[in-house]
Amino acid sequence: MLPDNFLWGGAVAAHQLEGAYREGGRGISTSDILTSGNAQTPRQITDGVQPGCYYPNHEGIDFYHRYPEDVALFEEMGFRCFRTSISWSRIFPQGDELEPNEEGLAFYDRLFDELRAHGMEPVVTLCHFELPYGLAMKYGGFRNRKLIDFYLRYCEAVFRRYKDKVKYWLLFNEINNQTDTTRPIYALTNSAILFEEGENREQVTWQAVHHELVAGALAVRLGHEINPAFQIGCMMAWVPIYPASCNPKDMLAATDRMHDRFLFTDVYVRGHYPDYAASMWAKKGVHIKTQPGDEKILAQGTVDFISLSYYMSAVVDHRESADTDAKGFAGSVTNPYLQYSDWGWAIDPDGLRYSLNQLYERYELPIFVVENGFGAYDQLMNTPGDYVVEDDYRIAYLRAHIQAVKQAVEVDRVNVMGYTVWGCIDVVSFGTGEFSKRYGFIYVDKDDQGNGTLQRAKKKSFYWYQKVIATNGEEL
């Protein structure tokens, strides 16, 4: 059985649901300049907020004003925790102010108090795909080492303010996503970087990564000084890579592709760069600039646990050229043993069990599955009763993945802390900017053009997850 203190809950991000993007003294964030898009048309990055463009994050689902209603629904499902993020630009609107914005701090006081009053532990991501836009414009984002100090000033402000309200903290959301330098949205939202014409994107990205890893290690030390009971974790986008065949060259290709995942956890957990980092950077023409003391900082700022998002696996074939992009990255190919979602994501619950084993065997630290979910085109029922969407496909996906977590814990003896379903209430999709790509147990009345009442309603999966939590995962 799962442990009695297993953290069941749901997960969201501030920029995808809060809205109120200029209220309470909040500054513009890097996510506020992303337009809407869809599965065929990527979101556009605009030069600041431009008139005539639709930015779905600006309103989100108006959680900023409606959070008591939503928290009550989460309590009804039985959530033991709720993962969200703090909008950095609510606390430091431009990012480089000397003093935090009191209105922003007060909002999260109210939110965390509400969660705790309803029996939920807040699980808080410090930087979840949004940084103050001023840091991009004035400093060039995390390419600039000055951002380490700005990040630490922000961390200190929220660590001290919420030291008795928040126990679980995550540093940077899916920090490894930005290694895909073909998609500028990752550099913008991970690191406040807008690539310049002709520059070496790999060099810029990996230098920013180094600054973020140093910043994260310093934040871990700072957090533990402020409250030794803090549990501070890294957060990774975990997509395990399988070889396309038993050809040893495919195995080597898969091993090589996993390096840009393991590099991050190796630094976060072991406190130093792995030996393969130097050869990987050399292939990319990357030369990392460090400062004296960086090695010591990384060694002394290791994390307490590993958290991850898991949605899919991928397959690599060494024969595929670097120009192919079949299923997410160069050299990746379709897995004939799996089904795929409407967005081309492989549905692979066994891949989650495999990943949990892989990470636990390597690091022997607790693991927190903080994102797992199923985006789909939900259809409202013509004659709704207790629920408005019959989302059996979502239930099937989550059931299989929770079963994989249970097998990892009960059979393989992996230490898994908890499981939070991504987009537990419908929010703006990060990747596409759509509302129609829905993940939630709770339906929100809003469409891709921003029309709708924002009224909340329960889906069939709401009642299913309620039972899962009530039985601690015994009834799936």
Side-chain angles (χ1 to χ4, degrees), residues 195-312:
F195 289 127
E196 298 171 5
E197 189 69 30
E199 70 179 340
N200 183 339
R201 293 185 176 186
E202 296 279 1
Q203 172 66 38
V204 171
T205 298
W206 284 103
Q207 186 64 59
V209 163
H210 176 69
H211 293 157
E212 288 161 4
L213 291 171
V214 170
L218 288 168
V220 170
R221 288 170 52 187
L222 174 65
H224 287 155
E225 289 169 7
I226 291 171
N227 185 347
F230 279 171
Q231 291 290 297
I232 305 174
C234 59
M235 199 289 188
M236 304 291 299
W238 208 259
V239 181
I241 307 298
Y242 304 147
S245 74
C246 53
N247 186 323
K249 289 187 178 355
D250 282 341
M251 190 66 201
L252 288 170
T255 299
D256 182 67
R257 288 305 309 224
M258 286 300 293
H259 281 164
D260 62 5
R261 291 154 176 75
F262 281 127
L263 180 145
F264 292 87
T265 44
D266 282 351
V267 175
Y268 275 131
V269 179
R270 294 173 171 169
H272 59 83
Y273 285 108
D275 289 338
Y276 59 75
S279 59
M280 184 178 78
W281 289 333
K283 289 180 196 174
K284 299 173 181 290
V286 169
H287 305 279
I288 302 297
K289 296 178 183 178
T290 65
Q291 288 191 4
D294 283 358
E295 289 186 4
K296 185 177 180 180
I297 290 169
L298 295 177
Q300 294 180 344
T302 55
V303 297
D304 300 309
F305 64 93
I306 298 166
S307 74
L308 57 90
S309 63
Y310 178 85
Y311 295 98
M312 70 193 104

Side-chain angles (χ1 to χ4, degrees), residues 326-345:
K327 290 292 176 188
F329 59 83
S332 59
V333 296
T334 300
N335 189 331
Y337 301 101
L338 299 177
Q339 294 182 324
Y340 286 77
S341 75
D342 290 337
W343 284 268
W345 293 12

Side-chain angles (χ1 to χ4, degrees), residues 7 121-126 159 163 166-171 219-220 223-224 227-234 302-307 365-368 415 417:
L7 290 169
E121 286 277 358
V123 178
V124 177
T125 310
L126 290 156
F159 283 161
K163 66 183 178 66
V166 177
K167 177 181 179 181
Y168 300 100
W169 300 90
L170 310 180
L171 297 169
V220 170
H224 287 155
N227 185 347
F230 279 171
Q231 291 290 297
I232 305 174
C234 59
T302 55
V303 297
D304 300 309
F305 64 93
I306 298 166
S307 74
L365 274 188
I367 303 172
F368 198 163
N415 183 355
M417 300 165 54

